[in-house]
Amino acid sequence: MPTLRRDPITGRWVINPGAEKDRTSGLIEMEKMIVQGICPFCEGNEKKTPPEIFALRGTGSQKDGPGWEVRVVPNISPSLSIEPDLDRRAERMYDLMNAVGAHEVIIETPQHVANLADLDASQIKKVIDTYKARILDLKEDKRLRSVFVFKNYGERAGSSPIKHAHSQLIAISVTPKNLKEELMGAMDYYDYKERCVFCDMIKQELSARKRIICSNADFLAITPFASRFTHEVWILPRKHSADFETLGDAGSQKLAALLKEVLLRLKILLDDPPYNFILHSGPNRTKRREEAWKTLSEDYHWHIEIMPRYTRIDGFEWGTGLYINATTPEEAATSLRNVKI
């Protein structure tokens, strides 16, 4: 049984997946397919993945068969399990519970394309619509507090060996430390100023215009003032919203267009760099947690963070959480703005 263990000093939760033999066997089978030149994510190879959870499909196509546009399947080596009860318990001074949650893979296209940047904006919109659908579904499970969509592109960013555009989703029964710190920081700012810190950030960036890369009527792409990574990019909705899944159809179209533009600019400027991408959105607010997050709808603002990974995090950064960035965000924004697409 996978478990979640809490560090009593920092409050950080750690997942211990367990079942190493089963996890390893699934990865070995996938490695064999790749060596044989078989991509399990390509259309026509649906039987080589676990059964699909969700798919956007053409009329008349059958589940786990061809004819899909975006497809979601369980991760072949999941870090969490949806079946057990939470079973919160103590081991003397330590706290642990069953690692209840979902670990899914979103296959972003039927075609064998590696980089999301190379898909049409219309296809990227379908990927965004799939993210929304899965978040809405998983938030119905009141055991799950946080849902994260993320992408690891390229070996240095922790990508799987499958060179086919895909992202992942993890839904989990705790609020991880990094998200909690972000939520608390937004709440503290709101308590002091009665304004959303992200909305204030957007206003200042629109006024200064030093760190804006590109924008449209609904979204803004910036290099954040305190960027941790060289050419780090944040995409934020101009209109205040705490929850990504509330994004409407027109907003999905605008986001798809801007996300494609940002990824293309990074690809051209940095020669197709590895990157991590993560969607930061409001956690699940059940009645039991409403008091803890009573102003969250007003103080938090969903956004996407994209971190190119062509430089490595060293021991100082891992040990302190203090990042060293050799390129200023102003220089990075200028370089990305000047890219000819």
Side-chain angles (χ1 to χ4, degrees):
M1 179 64 63
T3 58
L4 278 162
R5 301 183 180 212
R6 186 179 182 274
D7 183 322
I9 302 169
T10 64
R12 180 184 295 113
W13 288 93
V14 177
I15 300 173
N16 287 135
E20 283 301 321
K21 184 177 180 181
D22 292 339
R23 286 167 55 82
T24 303
S25 64
L27 292 170
I28 289 170
E29 288 304 310
M30 192 162 284
E31 289 281 1
K32 286 178 181 176
M33 282 188 273
I34 295 165
V35 169
Q36 294 166 6
I38 300 167
C39 173
F41 291 172
C42 280
E43 187 174 27
N45 292 340
E46 292 80 12
K47 300 303 181 187
K48 299 189 182 299
T49 69
E52 69 190 45
I53 298 166
F54 174 89
L56 295 179
R57 290 187 161 276
T59 304
S61 65
Q62 299 296 313
K63 181 181 178 181
D64 292 319
W68 52 276
E69 297 168 318
V70 181
R71 188 166 178 258
V72 182
V73 300
N75 192 297
I76 200 166
S77 56
S79 300
L80 307 110
S81 175
I82 203 71
E83 290 85 9
D85 294 327
L86 289 174
D87 188 22
R88 297 175 183 269
R89 56 199 184 274
E91 188 175 293
R92 301 188 69 180
M93 70 172 284
Y94 299 117
D95 296 314
L96 71 159
M97 68 176 90
N98 292 334
V100 172
H103 191 174
E104 302 174 359
V105 176
I106 298 101
I107 306 170
E108 297 166 347
T109 173
Q111 282 74 47
H112 193 70
V113 175
N115 195 341
L116 186 64
D118 296 325
L119 300 182
D120 293 338
S122 60
Q123 182 65 23
I124 296 175
K125 179 186 178 294
K126 293 171 186 173
V127 175
I128 290 167
D129 288 342
T130 300
Y131 293 165
K132 291 192 296 183
R134 294 308 303 140
I135 293 171
L136 282 167
D137 180 61
L138 288 162
K139 278 193 170 182
E140 290 296 313
D141 187 335
K142 302 310 179 187
R143 299 173 301 168
L144 304 179
R145 293 192 183 184
S146 312
V147 184
F148 296 93
V149 174
F150 63 99
K151 173 186 278 291
N152 305 323
Y153 174 71
E155 185 176 349
R156 187 172 287 185
S159 177
S160 79
I162 302 174
K163 310 302 182 187
H164 187 126
H166 66 283
S167 40
Q168 296 184 63
L169 178 151
I170 282 182
I172 194 165
S173 58
V174 297
T175 305
K177 187 172 185 291
N178 285 4
L179 176 59
K180 185 174 284 188
E181 288 176 350
E182 190 172 88
L183 293 170
M184 294 301 295
M187 183 189 293
D188 289 345
Y189 189 93
Y190 185 84
D191 284 346
Y192 180 59
K193 297 194 174 183
E194 296 187 351
R195 300 194 304 270
C196 166
V197 63
F198 295 91
C199 290
D200 277 5
M201 185 189 305
I202 290 168
K203 288 175 185 174
Q204 178 154 331
E205 295 302 337
L206 285 169
S207 174
R209 307 204 74 83
K210 293 188 292 186
R211 289 172 290 273
I212 295 176
I213 301 162
C214 51
S215 63
N216 59 32
D218 291 354
F219 293 94
L220 187 71
I222 64 169
T223 52
F225 177 76
S227 299
R228 298 155 295 176
F229 301 94
T230 302
H231 297 88
E232 178 179 351
V233 179
W234 286 19
I235 298 176
L236 303 105
R238 290 178 183 246
K239 184 178 178 181
H240 180 80
S241 174
D243 301 296
F244 169 80
E245 66 272 17
T246 63
L247 184 65
D249 191 66
S252 295
Q253 290 178 339
K254 293 283 179 58
L255 177 58
L258 195 72
L259 180 56
K260 178 176 175 63
E261 181 177 345
V262 167
L263 292 176
L264 268 180
R265 288 180 182 277
L266 287 169
K267 180 181 179 181
I268 293 167
L269 179 66
L270 304 178
D271 194 22
D272 198 17
Y275 64 84
N276 296 114
F277 155 130
I278 187 161
L279 168 64
H280 290 233
S281 186
N284 207 0
R285 274 100 74 201
T286 62
K287 285 188 177 180
R288 191 163 59 85
R289 301 189 199 104
E290 279 179 354
E291 186 59 28
W293 303 121
K294 59 186 176 183
T295 63
L296 194 142
S297 294
E298 290 76 38
D299 65 45
Y300 193 65
H301 199 116
W302 74 261
H303 58 286
I304 293 170
E305 299 182 9
I306 305 169
M307 291 80 70
R309 295 295 300 275
Y310 57 93
T311 56
R312 295 187 185 277
I313 298 174
D314 66 15
F316 174 77
E317 292 165 316
W318 280 120
T320 63
L322 181 63
Y323 293 85
I324 300 171
N325 185 353
T327 305
T328 68
E330 294 77 19
E331 292 169 338
T334 299
S335 299
L336 286 165
R337 272 198 308 271
N338 290 338
V339 169
K340 303 299 180 186
I341 298 179

